[in-house]
Amino acid sequence: MSALLTATCVVPAAGAVVTAALPAGTTEARRRTTKTVALAFSAVTLALTAVVTARFDPDGARYQLTESYSWIRSFGITFSLGVDGIGAVLALLTAVLVPVVLLASWHDADPAAAAGGSADPDTFETRRRTQAFFALVLAVEAMVVVSFYATDVFLFYVFFEAMLIPMYFLIGGFGDRAGGPDSARQRSYAAVKFLLYNLLGGLVMLAAVIGLYVIAQGQGLGTFDLQTLTGAIADGRLEIGGTAEKALFLGFFFAFAVKAPLWPLHTWLPNAMGEATAGTAVLITAVVDKVGTFAMLRFCLGLFPDASKTFAPAILVLSVIGIIYGALLAIGQKDIKRLVAYASISHFGFIIMGIFALTSQGQSGATLYMVNHGISTAAWMLVAGFLISRRGSRLIADYGGVQKVAPVLAGTFLIGGLATLSLPGLAPFVSEFLVLVGTFSRYPAVGIVATFGIVLAALYALLLYQRTMTGPVKEGVRGMPDLRARELAVVAPLVALTLLLGVYPKPLTDLVNPSVDATLSQVHQTDPAPAHPVAADHGTGQDGTARSGGEHK
């Protein structure tokens, strides 16, 4: 039994411990050492997740590189890990983004950044800021990676909830430098709101997890092992009654919808992203929130197939409302970071819509959307963070003419905005197209209404660029420096991935399609037959995503 998955999870956790234990950052040299150590651990984690992805065989078993260690034997709880195609690409996304976040946040936790630069550098809290920030980021990474690899329901639940703790401290303890005199109170409010919303979802899920165990134990399956449970459901050894299955589904789904976030459970996100540093905001929307949508695929559809089909139409309605609502509120925002937050709410509506359209195109597109949204939003938000740090304001009205004084910054900001509106040739276009095609094939009305989200996305993305980057140069923008070498190193790989996956998504689709096939087979769904059948089955397209319709294989 290989321990590769365990090593991949342990490395960032060990990095968090080592980073936290380093000497206090009383000098610039010590702070640089802390940052370098954290970055090195994140680089090793990236290498390990790359090895995991490379060793995953799309034509092999659904869960590979499996490991299982006894944990709480009396309740059938194990530390069980296994990777499927969806978990592999999302863990790789996490491992790619964390070094980028660390590099982008290089100075966000320096003593001068505490309390807007006015903190006493001799206090213990200020001296330990650097260690705390970088250790917390690595702790989040470790918990998210475990969540993507976990094949024990209880193990997943533990880390699904545990990641709230470091995120709470990252939001509440480290705000951006553009915060006003009331920023500390606003950060505290945002952190508490984030924690309470997600804890409520977690408590509901805990009740559902216990209910699932009680039902399984009553039928001779006293275990939390996901493969055992889904296999027993598939062959009839585990039967969950209609009402019980619906109740358990709602318990799991509620927790995932809060974290995703799905309208109307989204209201914590704009506060959290608005008050956090740009790097922490990327962790929230590009990494942590993806655990919610990933879990809908793995647990909601896998454990409760009939309930998933029953509630799919209602969830699609909520998703479409979220798409339109998030885009409309993004258009009306005056704060750059809150605009990106509401845009993300709209994008998560597309992801959830693709999942519950219950088609191969929809679910492949939703999985790609998780990856592409993570990359493009990270680029957009981090460049916005660089912009805000220069001007000291999050208000759109305080900017104008930036492209004349910082053309590279403006150019990368434009690429992030164009990716957000899913411009053809950029990565999000492929995933959004697949989601809409997959949804339209089963629910045409839903697909048509959701398409208006694309138009609204063009409005908020291009209006933001026009108001901040074009026009006369405003007084506070004069003399603004362009992107520095470190900032270019942050943005360049994200832009490169956005372009590469926009023209060649096949490596990702080859990984995720077998897992999508397995998920659809669990819910006993096939793709709708085309209204006008073609003469021959053309199979999978050149990019590995296009399918001809007909029966799902």
Side-chain angles (χ1 to χ4, degrees), residues 352-374:
I352 297 171
M353 183 178 74
I355 292 171
F356 284 93
L358 301 179
T359 61
S360 59
Q361 298 97 333
Q363 291 191 356
S364 293
T367 304
L368 288 181
Y369 215 133
M370 295 184 219
V371 176
N372 295 334
H373 170 264

Short mmCIF file of all heavy atoms in Angstrom, two decimals, residues 352-374:
data_model
loop_
_atom_site.label_atom_id
_atom_site.label_comp_id
_atom_site.label_asym_id
_atom_site.label_seq_id
_atom_site.Cartn_x
_atom_site.Cartn_y
_atom_site.Cartn_z
N ILE A 352 -22.85 24.71 -9.88
CA ILE A 352 -23.88 23.86 -9.27
C ILE A 352 -24.94 23.47 -10.30
O ILE A 352 -25.46 22.35 -10.29
CB ILE A 352 -24.49 24.58 -8.05
CG1 ILE A 352 -23.41 24.79 -6.99
CG2 ILE A 352 -25.64 23.76 -7.46
CD1 ILE A 352 -23.83 25.69 -5.85
N MET A 353 -25.24 24.38 -11.21
CA MET A 353 -26.18 24.06 -12.27
C MET A 353 -25.65 22.91 -13.12
O MET A 353 -26.39 21.98 -13.48
CB MET A 353 -26.42 25.29 -13.14
CG MET A 353 -27.45 25.08 -14.24
SD MET A 353 -27.75 26.59 -15.21
CE MET A 353 -26.23 26.65 -16.20
N GLY A 354 -24.37 22.94 -13.45
CA GLY A 354 -23.80 21.87 -14.24
C GLY A 354 -23.83 20.53 -13.52
O GLY A 354 -24.07 19.48 -14.13
N ILE A 355 -23.61 20.55 -12.21
CA ILE A 355 -23.63 19.31 -11.43
C ILE A 355 -25.02 18.68 -11.46
O ILE A 355 -25.17 17.47 -11.71
CB ILE A 355 -23.19 19.58 -9.98
CG1 ILE A 355 -21.70 19.95 -9.94
CG2 ILE A 355 -23.45 18.36 -9.09
CD1 ILE A 355 -21.24 20.45 -8.58
N PHE A 356 -26.05 19.49 -11.20
CA PHE A 356 -27.40 18.93 -11.04
C PHE A 356 -28.20 18.92 -12.34
O PHE A 356 -29.38 18.55 -12.31
CB PHE A 356 -28.14 19.67 -9.92
CG PHE A 356 -27.67 19.26 -8.56
CD1 PHE A 356 -26.67 19.96 -7.92
CD2 PHE A 356 -28.19 18.13 -7.95
CE1 PHE A 356 -26.21 19.57 -6.67
CE2 PHE A 356 -27.74 17.72 -6.71
CZ PHE A 356 -26.75 18.44 -6.06
N ALA A 357 -27.58 19.31 -13.46
CA ALA A 357 -28.20 19.02 -14.75
C ALA A 357 -28.17 17.53 -15.03
O ALA A 357 -28.95 17.01 -15.83
CB ALA A 357 -27.48 19.77 -15.86
N LEU A 358 -27.26 16.82 -14.34
CA LEU A 358 -27.14 15.36 -14.42
C LEU A 358 -26.91 14.89 -15.86
O LEU A 358 -27.54 13.95 -16.35
CB LEU A 358 -28.39 14.69 -13.83
CG LEU A 358 -28.68 15.01 -12.36
CD1 LEU A 358 -29.94 14.32 -11.89
CD2 LEU A 358 -27.50 14.65 -11.47
N THR A 359 -26.00 15.58 -16.54
CA THR A 359 -25.55 15.16 -17.87
C THR A 359 -24.03 15.11 -17.87
O THR A 359 -23.37 15.75 -17.04
CB THR A 359 -26.01 16.14 -18.96
OG1 THR A 359 -25.45 17.43 -18.70
CG2 THR A 359 -27.53 16.25 -19.00
N SER A 360 -23.47 14.36 -18.79
CA SER A 360 -22.01 14.24 -18.84
C SER A 360 -21.35 15.56 -19.18
O SER A 360 -20.34 15.94 -18.59
CB SER A 360 -21.60 13.16 -19.85
OG SER A 360 -22.08 13.48 -21.14
N GLN A 361 -21.95 16.30 -20.14
CA GLN A 361 -21.38 17.60 -20.48
C GLN A 361 -21.47 18.56 -19.31
O GLN A 361 -20.52 19.30 -19.01
CB GLN A 361 -22.11 18.22 -21.69
CG GLN A 361 -21.99 17.41 -22.96
CD GLN A 361 -23.20 16.52 -23.17
OE1 GLN A 361 -23.87 16.12 -22.20
NE2 GLN A 361 -23.49 16.21 -24.42
N GLY A 362 -22.60 18.56 -18.62
CA GLY A 362 -22.79 19.47 -17.50
C GLY A 362 -21.81 19.21 -16.37
O GLY A 362 -21.20 20.14 -15.83
N GLN A 363 -21.62 17.94 -16.02
CA GLN A 363 -20.75 17.63 -14.89
C GLN A 363 -19.27 17.76 -15.27
O GLN A 363 -18.45 18.20 -14.45
CB GLN A 363 -21.06 16.24 -14.35
CG GLN A 363 -22.42 16.19 -13.67
CD GLN A 363 -22.65 14.91 -12.88
OE1 GLN A 363 -21.83 14.00 -12.89
NE2 GLN A 363 -23.78 14.83 -12.20
N SER A 364 -18.91 17.41 -16.50
CA SER A 364 -17.53 17.66 -16.94
C SER A 364 -17.26 19.15 -16.95
O SER A 364 -16.19 19.61 -16.50
CB SER A 364 -17.31 17.07 -18.34
OG SER A 364 -17.37 15.66 -18.32
N GLY A 365 -18.23 19.91 -17.46
CA GLY A 365 -18.07 21.36 -17.48
C GLY A 365 -17.99 21.94 -16.08
O GLY A 365 -17.20 22.86 -15.83
N ALA A 366 -18.80 21.42 -15.16
CA ALA A 366 -18.77 21.92 -13.78
C ALA A 366 -17.41 21.68 -13.13
O ALA A 366 -16.88 22.54 -12.42
CB ALA A 366 -19.88 21.26 -12.96
N THR A 367 -16.85 20.49 -13.37
CA THR A 367 -15.53 20.19 -12.80
C THR A 367 -14.46 21.10 -13.41
O THR A 367 -13.61 21.64 -12.69
CB THR A 367 -15.17 18.72 -13.05
OG1 THR A 367 -16.20 17.88 -12.50
CG2 THR A 367 -13.85 18.37 -12.38
N LEU A 368 -14.51 21.27 -14.72
CA LEU A 368 -13.56 22.18 -15.36
C LEU A 368 -13.78 23.61 -14.85
O LEU A 368 -12.82 24.37 -14.69
CB LEU A 368 -13.73 22.14 -16.87
CG LEU A 368 -13.26 20.90 -17.61
CD1 LEU A 368 -13.49 21.05 -19.11
CD2 LEU A 368 -11.79 20.63 -17.34
N TYR A 369 -15.03 23.96 -14.61
CA TYR A 369 -15.35 25.31 -14.12
C TYR A 369 -14.70 25.55 -12.76
O TYR A 369 -14.21 26.65 -12.46
CB TYR A 369 -16.87 25.48 -14.02
CG TYR A 369 -17.36 26.86 -14.34
CD1 TYR A 369 -18.44 27.05 -15.19
CD2 TYR A 369 -16.80 28.00 -13.77
CE1 TYR A 369 -18.91 28.31 -15.51
CE2 TYR A 369 -17.28 29.26 -14.07
CZ TYR A 369 -18.33 29.42 -14.93
OH TYR A 369 -18.80 30.67 -15.22
N MET A 370 -14.71 24.52 -11.90
CA MET A 370 -14.06 24.67 -10.60
C MET A 370 -12.58 25.03 -10.77
O MET A 370 -12.05 25.91 -10.08
CB MET A 370 -14.18 23.37 -9.79
CG MET A 370 -15.59 22.99 -9.40
SD MET A 370 -15.57 21.50 -8.36
CE MET A 370 -17.03 20.63 -8.97
N VAL A 371 -11.93 24.34 -11.71
CA VAL A 371 -10.51 24.59 -11.93
C VAL A 371 -10.30 25.95 -12.59
O VAL A 371 -9.50 26.78 -12.14
CB VAL A 371 -9.90 23.48 -12.81
CG1 VAL A 371 -8.44 23.79 -13.13
CG2 VAL A 371 -10.02 22.14 -12.11
N ASN A 372 -11.04 26.21 -13.67
CA ASN A 372 -10.83 27.43 -14.44
C ASN A 372 -11.24 28.68 -13.65
O ASN A 372 -10.58 29.72 -13.75
CB ASN A 372 -11.61 27.35 -15.74
CG ASN A 372 -11.11 26.26 -16.66
OD1 ASN A 372 -9.94 25.87 -16.58
ND2 ASN A 372 -11.96 25.74 -17.51
N HIS A 373 -12.32 28.57 -12.88
CA HIS A 373 -12.71 29.70 -12.04
C HIS A 373 -11.63 29.97 -11.00
O HIS A 373 -11.30 31.13 -10.70
CB HIS A 373 -14.04 29.41 -11.35
CG HIS A 373 -14.40 30.40 -10.28
ND1 HIS A 373 -14.13 30.17 -8.94
CD2 HIS A 373 -14.97 31.62 -10.33
CE1 HIS A 373 -14.54 31.20 -8.23
NE2 HIS A 373 -15.05 32.09 -9.05
N GLY A 374 -11.06 28.91 -10.44
CA GLY A 374 -10.00 29.09 -9.45
C GLY A 374 -8.81 29.83 -10.01
O GLY A 374 -8.26 30.74 -9.38
#
